[in-house]
Amino acid sequence: MMDWSSDSDDGDTFEWENDCEAEPLSASALSNLDASGPSTLDASGWTQGEAPSSSLVEEYVGKGFPKEMVLKAIKAIGNNDANALRELLLAYKALGDYSLVGNYFISGCTPHNVEDDDDIDVDFGNWDGDHDDVGESEANSHGSIAKDLQQEMLENDTKIKSLVDVGFHEDEANMIITRCGVGVSFFVLVDSKNIPHHEVANMSSDSFGGRKKEIFKKEGKKKRKPYGGREQKSQPPMDGSHDEPMAFPNPMVGFNLPNDMVLSVDRKLPIQAIGPPFFYYENVAKAPRGVWRIISRTLYGVEPEFVDSKYFCAAARKRGYIHNLPTKNRAPLRPVPPKTIFEAFPHYSEWWPSWDSRRQLNCLTTCVPGAKLAERIECALARTDNPPSPRVQKYVMAGCKRFNLVWVGKNKVASLEPHEMENLLGFPKDHTRGVGITERYKSLGNSFQVDTVVYHLSVLRDMFPHGMNVLSLFTGIGGADVALHRLGIHMRIVVSVEISEVNRRILRGWWNQTQTGRLIEVPDVETLSDDIVESLIRQFGGFDLVIGGSPCNNLAGKNRFHRDGLEGEHSALFFHYFRILDAVKSVMAKM
């Protein structure tokens, strides 16, 4: 439905800048453990005057670290930082065979070259962004894997420590890094919790490496005019009131859930929102500060309903909905969808390790990792105890949670298949089949969670026994249409507005197999003028429902350097949703 990348979510992949403020163990140090030194090396390979004292080596050998490991670590980062040296030694030990640390080979992994699926053309950041050149040797391949394991684990620990130093709980810091990625800057991680920059600036500069001003300038918001610079009369004034944050419910259950444990919320709609048509708007819940206040104020002051789909299926998806639908007499469809991983996919329980406590998946996104991440995880587990050390578990779980990896063999993880994502999102099997696998992942990651929408739209089932006329904006792959179909509501007319030809093809294929009504396709909301809207209304007698969700490319959490809110190039299309809805209401009020 929406061309978004999700809240961790996450449409398009943007390149992140890697500003590591606290660097006790830098990537450059780790990547040069065996690099040739300058001409000042002594006979033992040490820089003159920098050779470690025998007492220092003996101290760490006495703590249980092999001598060769200690010498390698000191050679990598020097002997002036005891904490950094200890951390590197612990990393070596966690990764397995210390005697082969010098050439970065991890014993127990069957050597083979890895090539990512050519069809998955997505940049996955620091988790899987190092693609081997064709013909590269097996030893170098494993060297890259072990080096990346060391670097990622150390960077992850460093970022967690920095967040803890400025007041985050360790579990919360770990969750933030899992969602945003270890490669993003400290300030991006802090901003992921919507802490204003002026509050961050007042925190201890010791944790930031003294780079506050430079990074704030670099990451400052770029102001853009909506609609590519064109003025629109429907755009609300951007006064200071939109800076107030909107509180999210905790837990994020909306106005009610399909059980008796959550009481229904009574609400009174603003007078402007009452009357035909019904409307339903969706977007990511955790948008930049002030966005939902603008959306709410624009859509007649209707209060948003924030819901996490984990209460409806086995995967999380935090979304905000603004609508004028009744909230009483909602009813879920039977049978209810599975709400845990093992209920949805029982065959995965055979290989699921006891230390992976996940029972639900994180938000399904448009991104899937290449083969390298799975290989690195397999190699990390191959040389550890059973269960693995807490340090290795933390590394493995960060990747599994971020990319929703599942266990398909001993120490073997894999991404969800497209048909499994279809299942979790409430679409029929093979709904997206017939297009490239990259397009399938992208289309599904940008869609409605259909079971959640079914619950909200269930109030319409008895109100329209003879069918509905629907105006679907930003249709995507037809999540709204599938929801209405599952409710047994006949769609007499659907005017679908969707810019992606791939998505239109997916919807058209499903429609031709399941529907008897008429599907009218419009390629772009910007071409759907008020005059065309009026013509359609007079031709078909009006619309019963206007439904959709504008792109969240400038709202979602991962799009850090394009996160311009509703002033962004893509997310400004929200105002077209309002313009078209307002035109429908205006014309129908005169009929």
Side-chain angles (χ1 to χ4, degrees):
M1 173 67 69
M2 302 172 219
D3 189 11
W4 58 28
S5 113
S6 86
D7 51 67
S8 109
D9 124 214
D10 21 95
D12 297 333
T13 302
F14 299 102
E15 186 172 345
W16 297 341
E17 189 161 325
N18 189 0
D19 291 323
C20 300
E21 289 77 26
E23 298 177 329
L25 297 175
S26 67
S28 60
L30 288 170
S31 62
N32 288 301
L33 294 185
D34 293 332
S36 300
S39 58
T40 54
L41 294 182
D42 64 18
S44 300
W46 296 93
T47 305
Q48 293 177 10
E50 295 295 329
S53 65
S54 59
S55 60
L56 178 65
V57 176
E58 290 173 1
E59 176 186 350
Y60 284 100
V61 170
K63 293 178 180 179
F65 296 102
K67 182 176 180 180
E68 182 181 354
M69 182 188 290
V70 175
L71 292 173
K72 287 288 184 182
I74 295 174
K75 192 170 184 179
I77 62 173
N79 52 24
N80 295 323
D81 190 333
N83 289 332
L85 182 58
R86 178 177 171 275
E87 286 296 311
L88 184 55
L89 288 169
L90 288 173
Y92 283 166
K93 204 163 189 176
L95 291 173
D97 196 342
Y98 71 88
S99 66
L100 296 172
V101 163
N103 60 14
Y104 297 106
F105 183 77
I106 298 180
S107 178
C109 298
T110 303
H112 63 280
N113 288 325
V114 176
E115 295 182 8
D116 290 341
D117 189 338
D118 292 336
D119 199 22
I120 302 178
D121 186 21
V122 185
D123 177 10
F124 304 112
N126 285 350
W127 288 102
D128 206 20
D130 51 335
H131 301 285
D132 285 328
D133 293 331
V134 176
E136 188 174 16
S137 69
E138 294 168 351
N140 284 342
S141 174
H142 283 289
S144 175
I145 292 169
K147 180 175 65 177
D148 289 341
L149 282 169
Q150 295 167 1
Q151 181 176 337
E152 288 163 12
M153 293 170 68
L154 291 169
E155 286 185 0
N156 187 75
D157 288 351
T158 298
K159 291 292 175 64
I160 289 177
K161 183 179 184 301
S162 297
L163 290 173
V164 170
D165 286 346
V166 297
F168 288 90
H169 188 276
E170 183 175 352
D171 290 341
E172 186 179 32
N174 207 4
M175 179 187 67
I176 293 170
I177 292 172
T178 297
R179 184 173 68 242
C180 297
V182 71
V184 301
S185 76
F186 175 83
F187 288 89
V188 168
L189 295 173
V190 172
D191 187 54
S192 71
K193 295 294 289 183
N194 284 331
I195 297 177
H197 280 180
H198 68 80
E199 292 183 20
V200 180
N202 291 331
M203 295 177 180
S204 170
S205 62
D206 294 340
S207 300
F208 304 160
R211 301 179 62 191
K212 293 194 295 254
K213 295 181 180 179
E214 175 187 347
I215 294 177
F216 283 148
K217 290 179 181 178
K218 193 177 297 184
E219 295 184 0
K221 284 187 176 180
K222 300 176 183 178
K223 300 299 182 182
R224 302 180 187 177
K225 295 181 180 180
Y227 315 134
R230 298 195 300 273
E231 292 186 4
Q232 297 289 330
K233 63 181 181 181
S234 60
Q235 180 191 356
M238 297 293 184
D239 53 40
S241 62
H242 77 275
D243 289 331
E244 292 298 319
M246 180 166 283
F248 296 123
N250 186 17
M252 197 174 283
V253 296
F255 297 147
N256 54 44
L257 288 178
N259 57 52
D260 296 331
M261 296 180 64
V262 179
L263 298 178
S264 182
V265 174
D266 290 324
R267 64 167 183 165
K268 185 175 181 181
L269 288 171
I271 188 66
Q272 300 93 330
I274 299 174
F278 287 112
F279 63 87
Y280 186 88
Y281 175 82
E282 182 195 49
N283 215 318
V284 291
K286 294 189 175 180
R289 183 181 296 270
V291 164
W292 275 104
R293 289 215 175 273
I294 298 173
I295 294 174
S296 174
R297 188 173 69 239
T298 305
L299 292 177
Y300 315 110
V302 177
E303 176 188 358
E305 179 174 14
F306 295 106
V307 185
D308 190 335
S309 69
K310 71 180 183 179
Y311 299 105
F312 292 88
C313 70
R317 202 176 192 83
K318 297 179 177 66
R319 297 292 183 258
Y321 304 87
I322 290 185
H323 58 84
N324 63 349
L325 296 166
T327 60
K328 293 184 178 180
N329 300 320
R330 291 170 165 177
L333 293 180
R334 303 292 180 180
V336 297
K339 293 188 177 63
T340 68
I341 297 171
F342 300 141
E343 289 174 358
F345 312 115
H347 56 286
Y348 288 138
S349 61
E350 177 182 1
W351 298 107
W352 208 271
S354 60
W355 46 269
D356 184 346
S357 61
R358 289 178 297 162
R359 292 299 175 263
Q360 289 187 305
L361 296 165
N362 283 333
C363 183
L364 306 178
T365 72
T366 61
C367 294
V368 293
K372 281 293 189 64
L373 175 57
E375 185 183 20
R376 289 206 293 267
I377 288 175
E378 185 175 355
C379 287
L381 294 172
R383 296 297 297 168
T384 61
D385 297 330
N386 187 16
S389 68
R391 189 182 187 86
V392 173
Q393 287 185 31
K394 184 189 296 185
Y395 165 77
V396 171
M397 291 310 304
C400 288
K401 288 178 179 179
R402 185 179 178 196
F403 289 112
N404 287 316
L405 302 179
V406 291
W407 297 92
V408 297
K410 181 180 179 181
N411 296 338
K412 184 178 180 181
V413 294
S415 303
L416 292 168
E417 297 290 339
H419 71 271
E420 293 173 320
M421 288 182 63
E422 290 170 344
N423 182 348
L424 292 167
L425 291 167
F427 288 94
K429 185 179 179 182
D430 295 333
H431 183 75
T432 59
R433 194 167 181 176
V435 301
I437 190 170
T438 301
E439 295 297 340
R440 292 184 73 183
Y441 282 120
K442 181 177 180 180
S443 297
L444 288 163
N446 289 332
S447 71
F448 276 156
Q449 203 293 314
V450 175
D451 300 295
T452 309
V453 178
V454 163
Y455 181 64
H456 292 164
L457 299 186
S458 62
V459 296
L460 301 175
R461 184 162 37 186
D462 296 333
M463 299 172 65
F464 295 93
H466 303 296
M468 302 178 65
N469 292 346
V470 180
L471 175 56
S472 176
L473 306 177
F474 312 100
T475 301
I477 58 176
D481 309 85
V482 172
L484 291 169
H485 175 67
R486 288 180 54 189
L487 286 165
I489 298 176
H490 173 56
M491 290 167 278
R492 297 192 303 262
I493 300 290
V494 169
V495 176
S496 169
V497 187
E498 169 57 41
I499 197 168
S500 166
E501 170 56 32
V502 170
N503 289 346
R504 294 200 300 269
R505 202 167 91 213
I506 291 171
L507 173 63
R508 197 183 309 128
W510 173 84
W511 183 276
N512 291 337
Q513 296 178 60
T514 62
Q515 304 302 304
T516 58
R518 182 179 176 187
L519 176 66
I520 299 171
E521 298 181 271
V522 178
D524 193 348
V525 292
E526 294 186 272
T527 65
L528 189 61
S529 66
D530 293 359
D531 290 340
I532 295 176
V533 169
E534 181 172 0
S535 175
L536 290 169
I537 290 173
R538 300 198 180 281
Q539 180 180 355
F540 302 123
F543 292 105
D544 303 301
L545 175 67
V546 177
I547 190 167
S550 53
C552 77
N553 297 49
N554 310 114
L555 306 181
K558 288 185 179 179
N559 299 338
R560 310 304 305 186
F561 299 106
H562 299 259
R563 205 171 183 222
D564 303 322
L566 293 175
E567 298 179 43
E569 177 183 356
H570 302 285
S571 293
L573 293 170
F574 156 73
F575 295 107
H576 280 293
Y577 178 94
F578 170 70
R579 172 185 63 80
I580 294 168
L581 170 62
D582 208 46
V584 172
K585 288 179 67 69
S586 178
V587 174
M588 291 183 65
K590 298 174 185 176
M591 293 178 63

